[in-house]
Structures are given as structure tokens and as C-alpha cells.
């Protein structure tokens, strides 16, 4: 299969790949888009919110990066393989601080945030490949919803594409407000 790169160096999802290649290709494309939107910024820039800053929104590029690290670990580790929450998520009192990943990110360095996010992606890729090898895209998560249903790996991958696509829209607006950078 030929690897196509776009003008920003992101690998394009395959036009004629298998379902697995297409889903993971689109997820990796969305991950690369977020990486581009959050690249080369200072801690102050990563912590910038959209004006007016007196709104209730705590969305920043730093918060987005930490949130995406959390959902990578949560869906691919905790849900898919029923692994316990790892740090830094395990010691958070989520009932007392439901937006912890968003608000705590402002105190993190860009390097720490990128490392946390990139390591969560590496774990997620390994976990997805493991589940796919065992049960294909129909492999059910080991954790289930309160009604007993469990989503499939296909659902998790599609959900993560949606998660990144939605947050990449936020990242577009934030990055433009920081330094004027626009585009995919």
C-alpha cells in the first residue's frame, strides 16, 4: 500500500485499505492534526483560552492535550482491556474535580504534556492491535455499560476519531487566536 503525505507531512488515510487500516488511518490522521495544532507553543500559549476569558470554558490547548491523553488511556486501556487507571489519572478525585485534566494542564510544561499524550497514544496503538489480533474489529470491550452492553473495538476507534475531530475544531480556533496559524 502506498503512503500518501499531505502538505503538512501527515499520513493520509488509505483510499483502498481494509476496515482496520481505514479506521486506524483516520485516527492517526486526526492525532497528527492535533499534534500540528499544538506544536511549538509555550506554556503560556498552551494555556490561553478564547476571548472573552471570563467565560466558564476552561478549554485550552494544554487542557485538550491532557484530555486526549486521558481518553486514549481510558478507552484503550481501561475500557478495552479492563486495566486499572494509571497515573496521573488513578489518584484524581473525579467526583470532586470532574474537569481535572482540563484545569490541571495549565500548570504542566509543554514537554510534560506532549510526553503524557504521546505515551498514551503509543499504549493505545498497542492495546488496539492486541484486541484486533484476538477478536478483530468486533472484539468487545472488557468493561461494559451499566446495562451490560459492551462496545466493539470498531466503535471505540470510531468514537476516538469523533473525539479528535471535535477537539481539532477547538484546536483550530485556539491556535488561530494564539498566533494566527490557520488551516488543517
Amino acid at each position: 500500500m502506498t503512503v500518501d503525505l499531505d502538505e503538512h507531512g501527515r499520513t493520509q488515510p488509505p483510499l483502498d485499505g481494509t476496515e482496520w487500516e481505514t479506521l486506524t488511518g483516520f485516527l492517526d490522521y486526526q492525532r497528527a492534526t492535533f499534534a500540528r495544532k499544538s506544536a511549538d507553543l509555550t506554556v503560556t500559549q498552551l494555556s490561553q483560552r478564547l476571548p472573552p476569558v471570563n467565560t466558564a470554558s476552561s478549554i485550552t490547548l494544554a487542557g485538550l492535550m491532557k484530555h486526549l491523553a486521558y481518553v486514549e488511556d481510558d478507552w484503550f486501556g481501561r475500557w478495552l482491556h479492563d486495566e486499572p487507571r494509571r497515573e496521573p489519572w488513578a489518584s484524581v478525585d473525579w467526583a470532586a474535580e470532574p474537569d481535572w485534566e482540563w484545569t490541571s494542564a495549565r500548570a504542566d510544561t509543554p514537554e510534560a504534556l506532549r510526553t503524557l499524550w504521546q505515551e498514551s497514544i503509543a499504549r493505545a496503538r498497542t492495546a488496539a492491535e492486541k484486541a484486533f489480533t484476538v477478536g478483530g474489529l468486533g472484539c468487545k470491550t472488557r468493561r461494559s455499560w451499566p446495562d451490560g452492553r459492551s462496545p466493539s473495538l470498531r466503535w471505540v476507534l470510531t468514537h476516538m476519531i469523533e473525539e479528535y475531530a471535535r477537539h481539532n475544531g477547538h484546536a483550530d480556533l485556539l491556535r488561530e487566536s494564539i498566533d494566527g496559524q490557520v488551516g488543517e
Side-chain angles (χ1 to χ4, degrees):
M1 182 167 41
T2 304
V3 175
D4 292 323
L5 299 179
D6 71 5
E7 67 275 14
H8 304 294
R10 297 172 297 181
T11 302
Q12 296 277 16
L15 293 175
D16 58 353
T18 65
E19 187 178 7
W20 167 257
E21 292 165 340
T22 301
L23 288 170
T24 58
F26 269 97
L27 181 53
D28 282 340
Y29 182 82
Q30 292 296 329
R31 288 168 172 155
T33 299
F34 184 77
R36 181 176 175 276
K37 289 295 175 181
S38 59
D40 304 319
L41 296 174
T42 66
V43 68
T44 301
Q45 290 171 317
L46 283 173
S47 296
Q48 186 173 314
R49 296 186 303 174
L50 287 173
V53 293
N54 62 350
T55 65
S57 176
S58 60
I59 296 177
T60 63
L61 284 169
L64 282 169
M65 194 175 305
K66 199 164 192 175
H67 172 72
L68 291 168
Y70 170 70
V71 296
E72 293 272 8
D73 277 339
D74 200 54
W75 278 108
F76 291 104
R78 189 165 175 257
W79 277 87
L80 191 57
H81 293 290
D82 199 23
E83 296 171 354
R85 280 191 172 137
R86 64 182 65 247
E87 291 300 337
W89 327 117
S91 57
V92 174
D93 180 352
W94 291 100
E97 298 183 76
D99 293 331
W100 178 83
E101 76 271 35
W102 296 95
T103 58
S104 67
R106 284 181 243 157
D108 296 333
T109 66
E111 296 77 19
L113 286 168
R114 268 189 201 80
T115 298
L116 179 69
W117 179 57
Q118 290 168 345
E119 288 175 353
S120 71
I121 289 171
R123 284 189 297 272
R125 284 184 178 126
T126 299
E129 288 172 15
K130 178 181 171 186
F132 180 72
T133 300
V134 170
L137 289 168
C139 181
K140 298 289 187 183
T141 62
R142 296 197 54 209
R143 291 181 66 86
S144 59
W145 286 320
D147 66 5
R149 295 180 303 148
S150 297
S152 66
L153 174 58
R154 178 183 293 104
W155 187 95
V156 172
L157 289 167
T158 303
H159 173 69
M160 289 300 295
I161 293 166
E162 179 271 335
E163 183 84 14
Y164 271 94
R166 181 167 32 94
H167 289 317
N168 280 337
H170 299 128
D172 281 339
L173 295 171
L174 287 161
R175 185 61 189 248
E176 184 176 6
S177 75
I178 291 166
D179 64 5
Q181 185 185 98
V182 296
E184 288 186 46

